[in-house]
Amino acid sequence: RPTRISLDEGRAELETLSLSLFGGELVVSGRLESDRIQGSLSVKRVAVPPIANLAGLDISDGQLNAEASVSGTLSSPSGAFDLVLDDLQGVAGEGGDVPPLSVEIGARLDAGALAGKARLAGLGAEPLVVTLNSRIPEPGGVLPVDARALWRGDLGALTATLPLEGYVIAGNAG
């Protein structure tokens, strides 16, 4: 698809930038007019190993899908972000290889309220689920955060994914 970029006084627009990326596709579009913003990002079927390699990580397989959007005004934006990493294989920390993992992350921003949820599956019978809620403070204010993590399983499976050189954590979370 052809990409169109428009720059006028008080207005900028990027219309459908589409790129092939590591076997998948990345599509970006956006517009800024006065103080109004609108934008979207879509990432589909992108291979994880080349990206992980750039970050110095050794992941042998996996796929990345993501969607993001923003709208509203610069002073009061709304947005959404969803990311899925499927079938991550070859993830290894100090504890050795771990089974294939799946990661889902979602976040929403609306009227100054931020809500997020992350889910990590593959370390046991139940996924690790983390939720976060907050309100964006005024400049100079304190960021209030309510966060929770829920998981039952062998701590060794979780810590095997972490770079804990020389440390062993054992037991069960429940």
Side-chain angles (χ1 to χ4, degrees), residues 18-32:
S18 181
L19 302 170
S20 293
L21 181 67
F22 301 125
E25 181 182 40
L26 177 128
V27 178
V28 181
S29 64
R31 180 174 60 235
L32 172 63

Side-chain angles (χ1 to χ4, degrees), residues 80-174:
F81 174 76
D82 293 293
L83 176 130
V84 177
L85 297 163
D86 275 326
D87 199 26
L88 295 176
Q89 296 183 29
V91 177
E94 293 301 318
D97 287 341
V98 297
L101 301 175
S102 243
V103 179
E104 299 174 17
I105 299 172
R108 304 288 177 269
L109 175 63
D110 190 31
L114 176 65
K117 184 174 184 178
R119 184 177 186 274
L120 173 64
L123 296 177
E126 295 183 31
L128 168 64
V129 177
V130 177
T131 58
L132 176 135
N133 291 291
S134 183
R135 294 216 45 88
I136 306 301
E138 295 295 323
V142 175
L143 180 68
V145 175
D146 175 21
R148 300 174 194 277
L150 301 171
W151 184 60
R152 291 175 194 251
D154 176 15
L155 291 175
L158 179 62
T159 58
T161 65
L162 304 173
L164 299 173
E165 187 174 331
Y167 294 92
V168 174
I169 299 175
N172 287 299

